[in-house]
Amino acid sequence: MKIAGLDIGTTGCKLTVFDPDGKNLGHSYRDYPVKRGKSEHEVDAQAIMGSVMEVIRDMAEKYPDIAGIGVTSFGETFVMTDENGTPLHRAMLYTDPRGKEECSGLLEKMDGKSIASITGLKPHEMYSFCKIMWIKKNRPEIYGKAKHIFLMQDYVVFALTGRAQIDYSLATRTMAFDITSLKWSREMFDLAGIDMDLMSEPVPTGTSAGPVRLEISSATGLAPDTQIVSVSHDQIAAAVGAGVFDSDKAVDGAGTVECLTPIYDQIPELEVMYDGNYAVVPYVIPGKYVCYAFSYTGGALIQWCVDTLAKKEKELAKEQGISVNSLLEGDADEPTGLLVLPHFAGAATPYMDTGSKGVIVGLTTDTTVSEIYRACMEGVVYEMMLNMECLEDSGLHFEMLHATGGGAHSKVWMQMKADMLNVPITALNTVDAGTVGSAMLTGIAVGCFRNLEDAAAHMVEKKEVYRPRQQMHEKYEEIYKRYRKLYKAVRPLM
């Protein structure tokens, strides 16, 4: 028996297969085009489904005994379909500028804090609901034909099984889901004039939608009894894949985007969450919630530094037979003293300011590329220190971080984070925690694992623990006092 995790991303999808002991047996990936114009950011949902079918065929040919496939996806993006699940338009991405007026219209009917108290989200046009309202107003012929409104997870689950269901965490990304009652909010739908019956049935994270349809079995090679599981929004799957289930731990997602995901034993203080633009999301464990504190540029900033500034260092690293990252990290063990505002793709939490820009302060003619590289690493972590400070009054009290993603393989960055954040960090071997989390929940759904703890014992592999050094923490704290002033100092100039 095998279990698999299907991760549907913005530009591609990947299906990874595991054996019952948690061993990664391989994966198949397909990408699909995204159209980004001045006024439209869209993806073809049918192209996504075509790629999903291809990766399933690839892996079912190698492993015909796949017992279940868990489906995770990126959030917000939705598509309206007919009764058979055939899309009526190109799916609107969360970055699509349409929906801004509709968001303002909602706020004229209900204040933002009241909406956040229901949905766990500070109102913003990025969420599905505002764009659904835009379709109804500007494309009434499409809305009039619609029999379903799907996000990408439930769109794929419906195509594979014929069942329209969406897990709680992804439903939250619409800005129309009640995070307390765990149901669609009648008040929000009435406010917007949207038919709630078009939405999929909300179900707990990790709920099986049943076996694949016979035609899917025939087209892909999957066994007719292969279960399809509605897993979650991709960030929730990553938290599960990191083995973090209690509030004494949090996830450090050290990927392209830097994301800190703490766990709460109950709904956190919503006033604090609202002020810091933090989403409150139901977790896989009933009664628990998470939030996302993130920077758009984590590993992306490090890669920018390598690609833009380290051309000579790339050649030197090649001559020495080491990675350019290792060369740039060096053996320095002191703060650089430089300040890097990591807003090279805009500011995420707590500002949510897309107009903010990246800044490097403190350069001299003696500054080296290696120092700028390490300062970029520091800047990402200073931004997380800022987020932790903003979340202090929300009930945050984790004592350990579990680090996933490519950044978890850097010993220098992991020790730097432990020193700066003043918490121990356990680096995991898992780079793709979302896929692992998806497979863990799928394994529970098909009876491969007893529960989350059993699944984690099989699939979450700890590599090394990095402990904070008090002397180093104090040095970083002094520099952080300056960093806290950086955004307000430079933002009026940009």
Side-chain angles (χ1 to χ4, degrees):
M1 178 172 71
K2 309 294 187 302
I3 50 177
L6 174 63
D7 180 19
I8 303 165
T10 308
T11 59
C13 64
K14 180 169 70 173
L15 182 70
T16 307
V17 178
F18 299 84
D19 70 14
D21 292 322
K23 181 182 178 182
N24 185 325
L25 300 176
H27 72 268
S28 177
Y29 175 84
R30 294 289 190 286
D31 57 17
Y32 28 79
V34 170
K35 176 187 174 186
R36 296 185 192 271
K38 185 176 181 181
S39 59
E40 297 177 346
H41 295 182
E42 299 175 330
V43 63
D44 184 349
Q46 287 182 302
I48 290 178
M49 196 60 223
S51 294
V52 166
M53 293 293 285
E54 288 180 20
V55 297
I56 291 176
R57 263 194 299 270
D58 284 352
M59 300 314 288
E61 184 178 347
K62 295 178 182 177
Y63 305 105
D65 59 338
I66 294 174
I69 297 174
V71 184
T72 64
S73 80
F74 61 112
E76 299 88 42
T77 299
F78 74 95
V79 67
M80 297 183 184
T81 78
D82 64 16
E83 63 274 12
N84 298 315
T86 303
L88 300 172
H89 63 102
R90 292 175 65 88
M92 297 169 71
L93 294 171
Y94 72 97
T95 55
D96 193 294
R98 291 170 289 181
K100 192 169 186 177
E101 289 183 13
E102 287 69 25
C103 188
S104 297
L106 276 178
L107 288 170
E108 289 175 4
K109 298 177 181 179
M110 183 186 290
D111 69 276
K113 289 187 177 180
S114 296
I115 292 174
S117 70
I118 297 170
T119 66
L121 304 175
K122 188 173 185 176
H124 194 280
E125 62 266 22
M126 71 179 281
Y127 299 115
S128 321
F129 211 46
C130 303
K131 301 184 192 306
I132 292 169
M133 292 168 64
W134 187 95
I135 292 266
K136 183 183 179 185
K137 178 182 176 182
N138 296 280
R139 301 287 188 270
E141 72 284 0
I142 292 175
Y143 182 81
K145 293 178 183 177
K147 299 299 180 185
H148 295 281
I149 299 176
F150 292 122
L151 274 67
M152 292 303 100
Q153 177 206 80
D154 48 323
Y155 166 68
V156 169
V157 168
F158 181 81
L160 296 177
T161 68
R163 181 170 175 79
Q165 67 176 40
I166 182 171
D167 96 286
Y168 296 157
S169 69
L170 193 63
T172 300
R173 305 308 291 174
T174 61
M175 203 178 82
F177 186 72
D178 188 324
I179 61 168
T180 304
S181 67
L182 301 178
K183 298 176 181 177
W184 294 118
S185 169
R186 172 63 68 184
E187 188 172 5
M188 289 299 296
F189 280 88
D190 288 348
L191 204 66
I194 302 296
D195 183 0
M196 196 168 76
D197 292 337
L198 296 174
M199 308 303 291
S200 298
E201 177 191 358
V203 296
T205 296
T207 297
S208 174
V212 293
R213 295 186 291 119
L214 288 177
E215 50 266 48
I216 296 295
S217 173
S218 299
T220 61
L222 289 173
D225 60 351
T226 303
Q227 297 289 305
I228 302 299
V229 180
S230 297
V231 176
S232 65
H233 183 221
D234 50 15
Q235 292 293 348
I236 294 290
V240 173
V244 173
F245 310 126
D246 295 305
S247 57
D248 62 345
K249 297 183 181 67
V251 184
D252 171 40
T256 303
V257 169
E258 176 76 17
C259 186
L260 184 71
T261 308
I263 313 296
Y264 293 87
D265 294 325
Q266 56 192 7
I267 292 181
E269 178 51 57
L270 290 175
E271 187 89 14
V272 174
M273 311 309 274
Y274 183 89
D275 290 342
N277 293 286
Y278 299 107
V280 180
V281 185
Y283 195 37
V284 62
I285 301 166
K288 295 192 178 187
Y289 293 80
V290 306
C291 83
Y292 309 140
F294 65 104
S295 170
Y296 291 125
T297 47
L301 178 57
I302 308 307
Q303 194 60 47
W304 168 84
C305 189
V306 169
D307 293 341
T308 308
L309 304 178
K311 293 179 173 59
K312 179 181 177 182
E313 287 73 15
K314 280 184 179 180
E315 295 176 6
L316 289 172
K318 188 175 181 180
E319 290 173 7
Q320 296 177 29
I322 60 174
S323 72
V324 66
N325 303 83
S326 296
L327 180 73
L328 291 169
E329 286 173 358
D331 55 7
D333 198 27
E334 291 288 324
T336 64
L338 299 174
L339 295 179
V340 175
L341 189 68
H343 298 173
F344 284 54
T349 57
Y351 308 112
M352 295 308 291
D353 178 3
T354 56
S356 187
K357 301 291 190 295
V359 174
I360 304 176
V361 175
L363 296 173
T364 72
T365 54
D366 293 325
T367 303
T368 66
V369 173
S370 180
E371 286 174 318
I372 296 173
Y373 178 88
R374 283 184 283 111
C376 286
M377 298 171 95
E378 291 171 353
V380 171
V381 190
Y382 284 132
E383 196 78 343
M384 290 303 104
M385 290 175 72
L386 180 73
N387 276 280
M388 284 176 61
E389 187 176 345
C390 291
L391 286 167
E392 276 180 2
D393 294 331
S394 69
L396 192 74
H397 59 265
F398 63 84
E399 300 168 1
M400 169 71 78
L401 279 169
H402 280 195
T404 69
H409 295 306
S410 168
K411 291 178 178 289
V412 170
W413 208 6
M414 288 296 100
Q415 186 60 57
M416 183 188 291
K417 286 182 177 182
D419 291 338
M420 294 175 74
L421 300 174
N422 204 29
V423 291
I425 298 181
T426 299
L428 306 178
N429 269 330
T430 307
V431 172
D432 192 354
T435 300
V436 170
S438 180
M440 286 167 63
L441 290 168
T442 301
I444 294 169
V446 301
C448 184
F449 306 126
R450 295 188 305 277
N451 49 38
L452 285 169
E453 289 74 20
D454 184 34
H458 285 82
M459 301 195 69
V460 179
E461 187 179 351
K462 299 176 181 179
K463 187 169 62 175
E464 188 171 354
V465 178
Y466 299 85
R467 302 196 178 279
R469 298 169 296 179
Q470 190 59 34
Q471 186 178 5
M472 291 299 294
H473 175 67
E474 290 170 2
K475 291 180 180 181
Y476 282 117
E477 271 287 315
E478 284 301 310
I479 300 170
Y480 173 66
K481 290 174 184 176
R482 291 190 287 125
Y483 179 85
R484 290 178 67 217
K485 304 173 184 177
L486 187 58
Y487 172 77
K488 288 183 179 178
V490 302
R491 185 63 180 96
L493 304 176
M494 296 182 288

